[in-house]
Amino acid sequence: MSQLSPVLKQATPVVATRGEGLHLFDAAGRRYLDFTSGVGVTSTGHCHPRVVEAVREQAGRLIHGQYTTVLHDPLLTLTERLGEVLPPGLDSLFYATAGTEAVEAALRLARHATGRPNVIVFEGSFHGRTMGAAALTTAGTRFRAGIGPVMPGVAVAPFPDAFRLGLSLGLSEEEAVEHALRGLDQVLATASAPAETAAMFVEPVLGEGGYVPAPAGFLAGLRERADRHGILLVVDEIQTGFGRTGRFWAHRHHDGVVPDILITAKGLASGFPLSAIAAPTELMRRAWPGSQGGTYGGNPVACAAALATLDVIRDERLVDNAAEQGRRLLDGLRAVAAAAPGVADVRGPGLMIGNEFCHPDGSPDPDAARRAQQTAADLGLLLLICGVHLNVVRMIPALVVTAEQIDEALALWSKAVAASAAQQ
Ligand code: PLP
């Protein structure tokens, strides 16, 4: 008898048979409040009726229309519609399926367009599991141990983790940004000469690395250095995009910063595998012929799901809802943390919030995080863990979440945290 790979670790014991909005159901009919959204994917909730309808309709017309063989309407319409939400000037799109493929495409484009070999990433970064993206990933050795040598030409600069830098060096947020930018300048002076650096890849909020938002000023500092040295600024919005953080793109929290290449996936198609990179046409043109393609990229059904997703986000004002419910969730989680010394920091914009568990001396406490996450699952609230030290419990509900569902989650979380503390 065959079985799933034992290496595929399960965050919860749930076997889901159905999803609806914020809820998943198992075969016994037990209802779970899903604050994982399939790792930030089901932006419109599980099986939003408009997404389901669009997918059904499209599946009856054309399921596969390989995009270097034929073009199709969902792909062309989506390309037009994304123009309404993309940053100014990023008017050319290339589609793939998984996020990691889009990261690879951005990497190829950056090297082709600049003729430079190196890339700079930031501590705690996660950009994917394929070999190029894995080389850009520093969110934990678990993502690349034993698979190397990975792609050379990657230098790592500090990320301004304000909570950690506050604890260890007593720095304010502003000082943390200065510290990280000084570290970047040092990398450019010692490890990757500007003339050899094609791009900097950055997440506006570290995702797998622990839900650490880039404080004000950091992205602007990167933009300034990118402009000064002719380096491309690649913003990976795979986890942060599509309204998740209370703005359509998380980099919009950083006034005036426009990336050269933007990478999106996850929330884009409400669960269908679709990813994309966007760049100015002039830049995209510099990718070498043959470097962009793939069998499944821009799949018609996935594009139809993305179009419906855009409609739902607009019509149900989900970006505003993410901001509003995110504030409610953040306040509630901070109230829980105030009564639970093990939760040392609660942070994040919109509906992308991390709860960092630490020992009294400030060192990471992954066991407490795991206990709280597991207890929450037992109580019916599904959550995921992230962080370099696996000590951050993240909350990423669908953008359709209501105030009542936030309150229900907070009540369950409060019990889970108390139970975790009692088990210590
Ligand atoms: N980049 C970021 C910021 C991510 O969060 C992820 C996935 O979690 C990826 C890239 C990789 O995406 P995928 O798992 O679809 O390959």
Side-chain angles (χ1 to χ4, degrees), residues 39 98-100 103 126-128 203 208 236 238-239 266:
V39 200
T100 196
V103 168
F126 183 89
H127 297 291
E203 295 161 81
E208 302 309 300
D236 180 343
I238 287 173
Q239 193 156 165
K266 288 193 188 284

Side-chain angles (χ1 to χ4, degrees), residues 311-355:
D311 289 344
V312 171
I313 289 176
R314 180 196 57 210
D315 296 349
E316 298 186 17
R317 302 180 57 79
L318 293 188
V319 182
D320 291 344
N321 193 56
E324 191 183 326
Q325 302 310 332
R327 272 191 298 274
R328 188 180 187 94
L329 181 58
L330 188 70
D331 289 348
L333 291 172
R334 286 196 166 143
V336 173
V343 188
D345 194 34
V346 182
R347 57 182 177 248
L351 294 169
M352 187 169 182
I353 302 181
N355 302 268

Side-chain angles (χ1 to χ4, degrees), residues 229-280:
H229 300 302
I231 297 170
L232 298 173
L233 180 62
V234 183
V235 176
D236 180 343
E237 293 252 20
I238 287 173
Q239 193 156 165
T240 53
F242 263 73
R244 164 76 35 213
T245 67
R247 303 263 170 100
F248 201 95
W249 304 109
H251 74 266
R252 293 225 172 117
H253 291 280
H254 301 258
D255 289 340
V257 175
V258 177
D260 296 300
I261 303 175
L262 180 130
I263 313 176
T264 180
K266 288 193 188 284
L268 167 60
S270 290
F272 281 80
L274 186 66
S275 61
I277 62 169

Side-chain angles (χ1 to χ4, degrees), residues 17 26 88 123 188 198 269 278:
T17 53
D26 65 15
E123 280 165 8
L188 287 165

